[in-house]
Amino acid sequence: MIPLLEALSPGEKDSLTPAEIPEKPSPMLAVLVDEPFSDPDWIFERKLDGERALCYHKEGEVGLRSRNGKNLALSYPELVDALGGIKLDSGTKSGSDGVATDRSSLSWMADGEIVAFRDDVTSFSRLQERMQVSDPEEARNSPVSVYYYLFDLLLLDGRDLASLPLRTRKSLLRDTFEFSDPIRLTPHRNEEGEAFHREACSKGWEGIIAKKADSPYVHTRSRNWLKFKCVARQELVIGGFTDPGGTRTGLGALLVGYHEDGQLRYAGKVGTGFDEDTLKRLSRLLKKAQRKTPPFSREQENDLPTDGVHWVTPKYVGDFGFSEWTSSGKLRHPRFLGLRRDKDPEEVERERPEPHE
């Protein structure tokens, strides 16, 4: 066991179990809540508006995966290069038995978010320009610079760290890696969640994440991680599109929905938030996925538009901003923010804020 792990308390060391890098790692997900709070038992991080990614090192190989297991190496080759060359500190230059530790052979897995910036604010729409690239050379020449913010350490030296308290895992993350761009450590605040939320909203951030400081890492959604948004956001499945009108090209509006009780429920039309390139790209994608019948619930047939409509197989997920939900379950003033490749359509449900207990 490397010195950093040897330095843990006896109880923490006893909780460590042997582990291998999983083929399809699953990240811990946060629950949306209605009001921010302050609590000394919680830490608070900026909610980054990017693409969630898990990275790992195993037997000399570096991997970068989305939250649904897709390989991201082709889109972000410079991040893979940086992770492969990152300097590690195992605690000392020698192991506990006096034998030098080969840091390059350490296995590890960490959690984080890939982002691009517009001015000082992370921008998912700007990141879209890189997410659509699948050629490493094209990605390296892209004018869109990306950064990878790490915020959790899940495995180290063949040991599963998930049972350790969050603060301990964060300390190990900070002490294991020597951070330099484009790999960054995600900073956090202690206790003062309400003030941090006000600051986040005043700066135009997406929101903040609250994490219980003594919580373990679980590979599912958990109330030990909570998110407070500054603006309303929702992931939705694209089930159709309309013809463009006037001088517009590509398409007019997207027809979107979410899963509920085993059916895809229609949530309305989205006709804003597109530039010319996005309209053309979406049109190409969706025309290849056309089908004859609507994928939405039959109970809503009377709610669906009929003029100039094209139905598509519901395999694409988009990210949308909006002002509020109507009483009939439709989006008010929605706008398109970008396509999401890191979430399966079947997982898309309407997010309903819960009270913090």
Side-chain angles (χ1 to χ4, degrees), residues 77-92:
E78 72 272 46
L79 298 184
V80 175
D81 293 344
L83 289 166
I86 201 167
K87 295 181 179 179
L88 302 177
D89 186 352
S90 59
T92 65

Side-chain angles (χ1 to χ4, degrees), residues 16 92 186 194 280 323 330 333 345:
L16 302 179
T92 65
T186 304
E194 292 160 298
K280 292 177 183 177
S323 60
K330 306 294 193 302
H333 306 134

Side-chain angles (χ1 to χ4, degrees), residues 16 90 92 95 115 121 129 141 170 200 230:
L16 302 179
S90 59
T92 65
V115 303
V121 179
E129 299 176 41
N141 293 326
K170 280 188 167 293
C230 295

Side-chain angles (χ1 to χ4, degrees), residues 34-335:
D34 51 4
E35 294 291 339
F37 61 89
S38 298
D39 192 313
D41 295 327
W42 291 70
I43 66 170
F44 301 89
E45 297 174 350
R46 175 180 179 176
K47 190 176 190 306
L48 297 165
D49 192 8
E51 183 169 24
R52 186 76 174 273
L54 293 161
C55 61
Y56 62 85
H57 180 270
K58 177 184 179 183
E59 298 176 352
E61 176 189 357
V62 172
L64 189 63
R65 300 279 176 180
S66 70
R67 66 180 180 182
N68 58 347
K70 292 182 179 178
N71 185 1
L72 303 180
L74 298 181
S75 297
Y76 310 116
E78 72 272 46
L79 298 184
V80 175
D81 293 344
L83 289 166
I86 201 167
K87 295 181 179 179
L88 302 177
D89 186 352
S90 59
T92 65
K93 294 183 179 180
S94 298
S96 57
D97 57 0
V99 178
T101 302
D102 181 3
R103 300 173 186 177
S104 65
S105 68
L106 280 178
S107 62
W108 51 262
M109 183 168 71
D111 195 354
E113 188 96 358
I114 299 169
V115 303
F117 283 90
R118 180 169 280 116
D119 297 325
D120 294 329
V121 179
T122 57
S123 171
F124 184 67
S125 60
R126 182 161 172 74
L127 185 65
Q128 284 283 298
E129 299 176 41
R130 288 296 300 274
M131 292 176 66
Q132 310 309 320
V133 175
S134 58
D135 178 77
E137 183 176 356
E138 182 183 350
R140 293 182 195 278
N141 293 326
S142 170
V144 179
S145 299
V146 294
Y147 303 88
Y148 189 20
Y149 281 80
L150 299 183
F151 49 70
D152 215 324
L153 187 61
L154 312 185
L155 282 89
L156 181 62
D157 192 28
R159 271 79 169 182
D160 187 350
L161 309 183
S163 61
L164 295 176
L166 173 60
R167 285 197 189 278
T168 301
R169 299 196 309 272
K170 280 188 167 293
S171 294
L172 287 171
L173 176 65
R174 182 193 63 228
D175 294 340
T176 298
F177 297 97
E178 294 184 13
F179 290 90
S180 61
D181 281 346
I183 311 301
R184 297 178 174 180
L185 178 67
T186 304
H188 67 267
R189 304 274 184 92
N190 295 307
E191 186 174 348
E192 297 297 333
E194 292 160 298
F196 193 27
H197 183 257
R198 289 193 296 271
E199 178 186 339
C201 296
S202 70
K203 291 181 175 180
W205 299 352
E206 186 185 353
I208 65 171
I209 300 284
K211 299 179 178 180
K212 198 168 185 181
D214 64 354
S215 63
Y217 190 101
V218 295
H219 299 274
T220 185
R221 198 172 297 278
S222 169
R223 287 191 61 88
N224 286 330
W225 285 16
L226 305 174
K227 54 186 175 182
F228 321 111
K229 295 184 178 181
C230 295
V231 294
R233 296 273 291 263
Q234 173 72 53
E235 293 163 344
L236 293 165
V237 180
I238 300 172
F241 63 95
T242 62
D243 288 330
T247 59
R248 190 161 182 165
T249 59
L251 55 85
L254 298 176
L255 309 179
V256 298
Y258 57 90
H259 286 98
E260 184 176 83
D261 299 328
Q263 299 184 67
L264 186 63
R265 297 196 61 81
Y266 179 60
K269 295 195 295 184
V270 184
T272 61
F274 312 100
D275 58 25
E276 284 296 315
D277 289 341
T278 301
L279 285 169
K280 292 177 183 177
R281 178 166 50 85
L282 282 174
S283 177
R284 288 195 299 269
L285 283 176
L286 297 179
K287 284 179 178 178
K288 294 178 182 179
Q290 288 188 82
R291 52 184 275 175
K292 294 182 179 180
T293 58
F296 300 106
S297 167
R298 291 186 178 182
E299 299 174 3
Q300 297 178 292
E301 285 182 344
N302 294 333
D303 291 342
L304 301 178
T306 57
D307 295 335
V309 170
H310 304 269
W311 306 114
V312 301
T313 301
K315 63 179 183 177
Y316 294 109
V317 177
D319 198 359
F320 301 87
F322 62 102
S323 60
E324 62 180 348
W325 287 97
T326 68
S327 58
S328 60
K330 306 294 193 302
L331 298 177
R332 190 184 300 279
H333 306 134
R335 63 192 183 282

Side-chain angles (χ1 to χ4, degrees), residues 320-354:
F320 301 87
F322 62 102
S323 60
E324 62 180 348
W325 287 97
T326 68
S327 58
S328 60
K330 306 294 193 302
L331 298 177
R332 190 184 300 279
H333 306 134
R335 63 192 183 282
F336 178 76
L337 299 175
L339 283 179
R340 295 225 73 111
R341 63 179 174 187
D342 56 351
K343 189 161 187 177
D344 296 324
E346 294 79 13
E347 298 176 357
V348 175
E349 299 177 345
R350 177 177 168 180
E351 281 195 303
R352 291 178 167 85
E354 301 178 8

